[in-house]
Amino acid sequence: MSNKYKILVVEDEHNISSLIGALLEADGYQVISASDCANGKMLFFSHRPDLILLDMGLPDADGITLLGEVRKASFIPVIVISARTDEADKVEALDHGANDYVTKPFSSAELLARIRSALRTAAFHSDNGIYDGVFVSDGFLIDYDARRVFVDGTEVKLTQTEYNIIAFLSRHPGKVLTYSAIIKEIWGYSDSGSVKKLQVNMANIRKKLGARPGKKNYIVNELGIGYRMCERSEPVSDKTAATSHSTVAK
């Protein structure tokens, strides 16, 4: 399974929604779509997208309503796409937590550029900061822009869920994250099988990263509590990062 960024498009005009969906998929994104606030909210909590494209004029409620619901639970990027051109509408959306505001009609190139910018900003944001879009610890490297993971220069093939778990842990290095915190971030809900599902994913992740008893491992299991990502090391240079990638390509 690929590690594509997942984008939720909330747009009630079918032609526009289809056009945006085709554009995003052609550019390598995974797309889920909703035509009103209610379905948009449901898909947000069930699919945990990486970014939302949100129209304001929706049939069941104003897009500001959905934006407010999203901001209660997450700081993922939200880009408003709207025919409303008044400055007051733009200010209201931005004040309610939108990351950007694109007016219709817009060019494909502009929309894709704004999406890339928002995703880069989100990847760099954490309480401790991210070094040039990568996390590095000893031979372990996460390239957030490419959504790829390397151990000693060799790429580790992960499912989308496995990558999302690793990326979340890496944004809080050295901190124990509880089972419930990880489950809420990755799946958005908890049920009787959630902890077991997380443990199965973590067992697969640690195996793929080469975890061994008695040695320093990149992810530590705090029994009965949660998991902790190792502290990161000093940032690598562009040359070092490029070497890691070229090693994989050979």
Side-chain angles (χ1 to χ4, degrees), residues 26 47 50 53 72 79 81 87 91 106 119 125-126 133 136 149 159 169-170 175-176 191 193 199 203 214 228:
H47 287 267
D50 298 292
L53 294 179
K72 291 177 183 177
I79 299 177
I81 47 174
E87 182 179 347
V91 170
F106 49 82
L119 288 171
H125 173 75
S126 78
V136 182
V149 173
T159 68
L169 290 173
S170 71
K175 178 180 178 181
V176 177
D191 56 34
Q199 290 173 332
R228 173 171 53 84

Side-chain angles (χ1 to χ4, degrees), residues 103-178:
T103 55
K104 301 175 183 177
F106 49 82
S107 72
S108 299
E110 177 190 7
L111 181 62
L112 291 174
R114 290 178 183 255
I115 288 171
R116 289 193 298 269
S117 176
L119 288 171
R120 280 197 303 269
T121 301
F124 295 159
H125 173 75
S126 78
D127 292 339
N128 300 296
I130 300 299
Y131 295 124
D132 298 326
V134 300
F135 174 94
V136 182
S137 181
D138 296 331
F140 179 53
L141 184 148
I142 303 173
D143 183 333
Y144 294 109
D145 284 345
R147 293 172 70 86
R148 300 170 73 187
V149 173
F150 301 85
V151 172
D152 295 329
T154 300
E155 184 171 5
V156 179
K157 297 297 183 181
L158 300 168
T159 68
Q160 181 169 306
T161 297
E162 289 168 355
Y163 172 83
N164 289 341
I165 292 171
I166 284 182
F168 179 53
L169 290 173
S170 71
R171 285 179 166 81
H172 306 275
K175 178 180 178 181
V176 177
L177 298 180
T178 63

Side-chain angles (χ1 to χ4, degrees), residues 16 32 49 54 60 79 81 86 92 96 115 144 158 161 164 168 173 175 184 194 206 216 228:
I16 296 178
I32 50 177
L54 176 62
D60 57 342
I79 299 177
I81 47 174
D86 288 347
E92 181 184 20
H96 279 79
I115 288 171
Y144 294 109
L158 300 168
T161 297
N164 289 341
F168 179 53
K175 178 180 178 181
K184 180 179 179 181
S194 293
R206 298 179 78 226
K216 180 182 178 181
R228 173 171 53 84

